[in-house]
Amino acid sequence: MKTIIAPSILSADFARLADEIKKVTDAGAEYIHIDVMDGTFVPNITLGSPVVKCIRPTSKAVFDVHLMTEHPETHVESFAKAGADIITFHAEVARHANRITQQIHSLGCKAGIAINPSTSLAAVEELLEYVDMILVMTVNPGFGGQKFISSMLDKIRRLSKMLADKNLQRDIEVDGGINAETSKLVRDAGANVLVAGSAIYESADVATAIKNIRGE
Ligand code: DX5
Ligand code: ZN
């Protein structure tokens, strides 16, 4: 599957969001990864659907919303209406995950399920056929700029195999600590949607950073 680059605007300058999005899409990024944190599931608070609504008309990129919130079902509709294309929620906080995937699809979005580093693949096994993407967190969610947890490589490999055994083609997204070095490892393990915040936005040459992560 083609590698997709999803710069995380968590590391962007929020005062100039539209420009920061244009900068990475002009450099070839396909997705814009939007980290929504609620201050409860994770310590920080980032942004809400009104911000997504404001930036939507400025970009044609795929908006990849990563909900790091409790009660994701209460937020899905507002992000879909604001212009999200993909909505990913965490297995750890979803009491009726299958129903949430239906809710997301009924609003015309793709659905993703995310798991923290300490969450077993068993938490998503019964959902694989109902989602479009599985997000394997490669850091503990909550902050940009953390170190990649290398034991997640085996989890990505096992997930790839699980999908192949079930004859399912699904995107595998990774998020956290992805840079020119770790990107190769996760691509080799089977991930095809690569989120990167600091490695892209803190680089003086965004186009080269994106190429390196893509492995070109
Ligand atoms: C972490 C967020 C990530 C974060 C990644 O909780 O979900 O999307 O922005 O940042 P880097 O690439 O700097 O690890
Ligand atoms: Zn994220």
Side-chain angles (χ1 to χ4, degrees):
M1 279 205 269
K2 186 180 172 287
T3 298
I4 291 167
I5 306 295
S8 165
I9 55 167
L10 186 62
S11 295
D13 178 355
F14 276 24
R16 303 170 38 253
L17 263 188
D19 292 344
E20 294 275 80
I21 290 171
K22 185 171 185 307
K23 182 163 90 177
V24 294
T25 54
D26 283 354
E30 293 88 353
Y31 288 6
I32 292 296
H33 185 80
I34 301 172
D35 285 308
V36 177
M37 303 188 187
D38 67 351
T40 304
F41 177 59
V42 289
N44 283 326
I45 297 176
T46 53
L47 50 83
S49 59
V51 176
V52 176
K53 193 175 173 191
C54 286
I55 55 176
R56 182 66 280 184
T58 74
S59 177
K60 289 194 168 63
V62 171
F63 278 10
D64 172 32
V65 171
H66 176 195
L67 292 178
M68 283 163 276
T69 71
E70 304 272 351
H71 308 294
E73 66 283 358
T74 62
H75 302 296
V76 161
E77 189 174 351
S78 67
F79 282 95
K81 288 192 170 151
D85 296 295
I86 306 170
I87 300 179
T88 297
F89 60 98
H90 271 260
E92 297 83 4
V93 287
R95 201 166 282 180
H96 300 289
N98 187 295
R99 183 182 291 151
I100 301 175
T101 65
Q102 293 173 24
Q103 183 192 12
I104 294 171
H105 285 147
S106 74
L107 290 158
C109 297
K110 287 187 171 177
I113 185 81
I115 44 173
N116 286 336
S118 60
T119 300
S120 161
L121 285 174
V124 296
E125 191 172 0
E126 305 303 327
L127 275 175
L128 295 178
E129 68 176 280
Y130 302 98
V131 294
D132 303 280
M133 183 167 83
I134 303 96
L135 167 52
V136 176
M137 289 304 302
T138 42
V139 298
N140 289 296
F143 309 90
Q146 302 180 81
K147 191 174 176 296
F148 179 79
I149 300 173
S150 57
S151 59
M152 293 302 104
L153 290 169
D154 186 53
K155 195 192 227 178
I156 298 164
R157 275 184 223 112
R158 282 184 282 122
L159 173 58
S160 295
K161 185 172 183 310
M162 207 182 247
L163 288 167
D165 288 349
K166 290 179 187 282
N167 230 336
L168 293 171
Q169 272 224 341
R170 297 291 184 269
D171 289 313
I172 300 181
E173 184 175 54
V174 286
D175 185 4
I178 301 298
N179 55 36
E181 288 76 45
T182 55
S183 66
K184 175 162 176 29
L185 306 175
V186 294
R187 278 187 278 107
D188 289 349
N192 70 305
V193 182
L194 275 50
V195 177
S198 49
I200 291 176
Y201 278 108
E202 286 172 18
S203 160
D205 180 354
V206 162
T208 304
I210 288 175
K211 279 201 180 108
N212 289 341
I213 292 168
R214 207 189 285 285
E216 286 174 346

